[in-house]
Amino acid sequence: VFPEGNKGPGKTFDQRYQLRRFGRGGFVQIAMRAGVPIIPMAVVGSEEVMPILFKIPTLARALGLPYFPITANMVLLGPLGLVPFPAKIRIRVLDPVHLDVPPDQPRYSRSRVMDTSEEIRRSIQDELYDMLRARRSVWSG
């Protein structure tokens, strides 16, 4: 799942690699109910393939979309603007988060869900910063 929802891919270029709040922790509740661990992943490189310069909210509303982006690709390539820029994408799999709660309960502690969600967001954010510090170039990694 992508816990940032549509706010994640809808970030403008100046907001790249700054994770948004992970909603109401639905992904944590799903894992608790299923009795499975959460495997967080940090991805670097994807936010450069189609950088959003700005969004047009009125057009998005008219089309029934969460946002309508104007990307650097559209500005530079015109009609070919749907072609992504080349970028080296790196994915780092973090340690599993074991939730240690009985599965399939009718209700879970809201504070536990939100705290776990925030801890996972923070660990992914820290990992992103670490990966960005180690990165030499957008194209070569």
Side-chain angles (χ1 to χ4, degrees):
V1 299
F2 295 91
E4 285 181 292
N6 64 17
K7 292 180 184 102
K11 292 182 285 196
T12 56
F13 190 68
D14 62 319
Q15 300 166 334
R16 68 192 180 283
Y17 302 115
Q18 298 170 31
L19 294 179
R20 297 287 189 252
R21 190 175 73 85
F22 280 7
R24 294 183 298 266
F27 74 103
V28 175
Q29 285 183 335
I30 291 169
M32 287 176 164
R33 280 203 173 84
V36 297
I38 296 171
I39 315 278
M41 300 172 91
V43 180
V44 166
S46 62
E47 299 203 24
E48 284 90 9
V49 297
M50 203 162 277
I52 297 174
L53 301 176
F54 59 93
K55 297 180 264 187
I56 305 175
T58 52
L59 187 54
R61 277 192 298 279
L63 295 172
L65 300 171
Y67 60 91
F68 188 89
I70 299 299
T71 67
N73 311 49
M74 294 172 171
V75 172
L76 294 174
L77 302 174
L80 295 175
L82 297 177
V83 175
F85 289 145
K88 181 79 164 201
I89 296 178
R90 294 195 180 270
I91 301 171
R92 190 172 291 171
V93 179
L94 284 63
D95 292 334
V97 176
H98 297 277
L99 302 168
D100 299 323
V101 295
D104 210 22
Q105 296 295 306
R107 188 177 192 100
Y108 291 98
S109 163
R110 193 87 197 118
S111 63
R112 171 95 189 265
V113 168
M114 294 307 292
D115 289 348
T116 302
S117 176
E118 181 55 26
E119 287 170 23
I120 292 169
R121 191 201 68 74
R122 200 169 338 157
S123 69
I124 295 171
Q125 184 67 74
D126 291 345
E127 202 66 34
L128 286 172
Y129 288 147
D130 183 57
M131 292 170 73
L132 289 167
R133 275 191 299 274
R135 181 167 76 167
R136 295 184 312 270
S137 159
V138 171
W139 299 281
S140 66

